Amino acid sequence: MTTRLILAGVGAVIALAGWLWRRDALARWAAAPAPEGAKPKKKPRLPTVVMLLGLWLLIVKVLELAFGVKERGSFNVEIWAERVDVGGFSLSMTVVYTWIIMAALTLVAVILRLTVIPRMQETPKGAQNVLEIMVENLVKYTKSNVGDLGNNLPAYLFTVAAFMVGSAILELFGVRAPTSDITMTFSMALITFVLINYYGLKVKGVGGRLKRYRNPMNLVSDLAIPVSLACRLFGNMLGGLIVMDLLYFAMGSYAVAVPSVVGLYFNVFHPLIQAFIFVTLTLTFIGEAVE
């Protein structure tokens, strides 16, 4: 208790000193004239860093005084998602979270259908403008990779991207994203595999599609597509999950603010990259099937 009070006081002193230092440094920076032709001087950053470190230490110790320190257990990573009993059925939490994401996306779609779609104008603005930008860019990106195969393919890709974004948003609430479960990523890859063969048969016919398999290696590479897509997405998403869990475990009670900053990459930016990669690979494989 005494040690925490002392460290809290140290954090308060450091934060106050950093704030005073920052105020003085900014005043001197604003008063100093910039030489003609020279690049403008950068604002001093070190005082801000010192102030934030002091605030971080103060907040950590205040939280420890208020709630105590939880004993640190062993670090474990489960490959498979937890299971829960629902109505006498044992369901994976991946299924439960997938239902939650589906319900949320359905609700958003219904709201947009009732509020935005009936009021669409020639000159888009607001939500209509955002929707048109997303749809137009996805359709343009799809056509640039595989040509015009109809409107169903961009709709599927938009649904996949929306689901992966929903998984990333759900992960921000501290739960395991469905896309970090191999069963989910394999299901998504299997749907893509079906679409690859569907468009291949639609464009080239049965005979044209079968000619590809005169070379047995093409058959092996095609059968490897769903495995490759599933494992790539699963490995990347599970890796992000492990990194965040490791960070929380290593920092213990000091895991205040820092994981949130790191999570901007692993829980927001990283899933968006994986969504883009999955969409791009889907279009690449479909493009190869219709060539």
Side-chain angles (χ1 to χ4, degrees), residues 26-148:
L26 288 176
R28 285 188 280 107
W29 172 82
E36 292 186 5
K39 294 182 179 180
K41 296 188 299 180
K42 295 182 179 179
K43 291 184 179 180
R45 297 178 180 176
L46 184 58
T48 303
V49 173
V50 172
M51 181 184 68
L52 292 177
L53 286 175
L55 284 173
W56 173 72
L57 180 60
L58 174 62
I59 292 172
V60 168
K61 293 306 169 184
V62 168
L63 290 176
E64 287 184 357
L65 289 169
F67 302 103
V69 179
K70 184 179 180 180
E71 292 186 6
R72 184 179 302 182
S74 59
F75 180 75
N76 296 312
V77 176
E78 296 291 340
I79 298 297
W80 306 105
E82 297 180 0
R83 304 191 71 84
V84 62
D85 290 330
V86 178
F89 295 94
S90 178
L91 295 178
S92 168
M93 288 304 297
T94 298
V95 176
V96 177
Y97 293 142
T98 299
W99 286 346
I100 294 174
I101 296 171
M102 290 169 57
L105 292 177
T106 303
L107 179 61
V108 171
V110 170
I111 292 174
L112 291 175
R113 181 64 181 86
L114 296 176
T115 59
V116 177
I117 304 301
R119 302 175 182 176
M120 296 186 76
Q121 303 173 355
E122 289 293 332
T123 304
K125 58 182 179 179
Q128 178 187 344
N129 195 29
V130 175
L131 287 175
E132 289 193 9
I133 289 174
M134 290 191 297
V135 172
E136 287 177 2
N137 280 280
L138 182 58
V139 171
K140 186 184 300 184
Y141 186 66
T142 302
K143 288 184 177 181
S144 67
N145 283 273
V146 298
D148 189 5

